[in-house]
Amino acid sequence: MTALRLPLILLLAGVLGLAGCSVHQPVSLYQLDSGSPAQPAQSAGMAVLLGPVVVADYLQRETLLQRQPDGSLQASADGRWAGSLSSDIDQLLLRQVAGHLDSQRVVLAPATQGFTPDVQVLLTITRLDSGTSQPAILDAQWRLLDRRGQVRDNRIVHLQELHAGSTASQVQAQGILLQRLAEQLSVALKPLANQPPVAEVPRKPAPKPAAPAAEAEKQPKIPMASPIRTDMEVFRF
């Protein structure tokens, strides 16, 4: 009996060991590739307010999703995002746009008090994903508002990038798509750098306050006419 129990115990230990290895399998963390954006040198360049940048709800999670051939999405088993994907997108676009415009005056929304942008970029990203056998795809839309708040450009963008199939190559392809988006956005921004200044509307003078009651009493009063009485009698026949 003892001889039979020993192999059984060893078998159970091996199965539990394999289960432990599968449970504690390390998961790789990924960040978007920002490329090598140029360092802007002009401290007084074009003032751009980047945002709000709205990212699709399904992308606002740490899980790295994989697009399947049937169009569905599944969580990746061997990788996830290292932090907030939305924050990575914001920082990548900020650095890329600032580099293309050669301007240190590109800021993320909300702007600090006193910052007056030449252009505000309203950007919506509705898709950014890929799969083992599916290319990386980016769908986005932007609107550019000038100093007067008028829409100067409205564009819908669809970009696609092939990759080698691995999770790392997929993340790299998604970063390249965002770099291409920032490049196209910068091209649309440059013509709005030399806008005429906004004319200030003259303010209407404030109405004068009503005179207090004490001052009204000091003003000269017009004497009222009083009837004159006489001793003459009027006779009627």
Side-chain angles (χ1 to χ4, degrees):
M1 292 293 295
T2 305
L4 292 175
R5 288 178 181 176
L6 184 59
L8 182 60
I9 293 173
L10 293 175
L11 178 61
L12 291 174
V15 172
L16 292 175
L18 290 175
C21 292
S22 62
V23 171
H24 298 288
Q25 182 179 2
V27 177
S28 300
L29 303 180
Y30 294 94
Q31 282 185 312
L32 292 171
D33 184 10
S34 300
S36 301
Q39 180 67 26
Q42 295 188 49
S43 58
M46 186 177 183
V48 177
L49 179 60
L50 185 58
V53 178
V54 180
V55 179
D57 291 340
Y58 82 96
L59 295 172
Q60 298 180 15
R61 61 186 69 196
E62 293 183 358
T63 306
L64 202 158
L65 300 176
Q66 296 283 286
R67 180 73 64 174
Q68 304 302 311
D70 61 356
S72 63
L73 292 167
Q74 293 184 5
S76 174
D78 62 346
R80 63 184 179 88
W81 295 111
S84 170
L85 177 60
S86 297
S87 298
D88 280 356
I89 292 174
D90 289 346
Q91 293 299 323
L92 188 155
L93 294 175
L94 174 69
R95 294 180 178 276
Q96 286 286 333
V97 172
H100 285 296
L101 297 179
D102 190 20
S103 173
Q104 293 277 2
R105 303 175 66 199
V106 180
V107 301
L108 291 171
T112 57
Q113 186 176 6
F115 180 79
T116 303
D118 298 319
V119 186
Q120 181 178 4
V121 180
L122 304 179
L123 179 63
T124 302
I125 296 177
T126 56
R127 179 176 177 180
L128 179 63
D129 56 59
S130 57
T132 305
S133 57
Q134 302 297 317
I137 292 179
L138 169 64
D139 288 334
Q141 180 183 12
W142 75 59
R143 286 190 302 161
L144 306 184
L145 307 182
D146 62 11
R147 294 176 180 174
R148 296 173 176 81
Q150 297 179 350
V151 178
R152 298 291 296 273
D153 188 51
N154 183 26
R155 194 173 308 180
I156 298 175
V157 181
H158 175 82
L159 300 174
Q160 185 170 312
E161 184 74 18
L162 297 176
H163 55 78
S166 65
T167 304
S169 65
Q170 293 181 50
V171 174
Q172 184 179 17
Q174 293 180 26
I176 292 174
L177 289 180
L178 288 167
Q179 295 174 35
R180 289 168 55 188
L181 174 66
E183 183 179 3
Q184 293 186 15
L185 178 58
S186 301
V187 172
L189 284 169
K190 287 181 179 179
L192 303 178
N194 301 317
Q195 299 180 50
V198 179
E200 295 185 359
V201 179
R203 297 182 180 179
K204 296 181 179 180
K208 295 182 179 180
E215 294 183 3
E217 294 178 356
K218 296 179 181 180
Q219 296 180 0
K221 297 182 179 180
I222 301 175
M224 297 180 63
S226 58
I228 302 174
R229 300 182 62 182
T230 65
D231 296 333
M232 296 177 65
E233 294 182 358
V234 178
F235 295 91
R236 296 183 180 178
F237 298 92

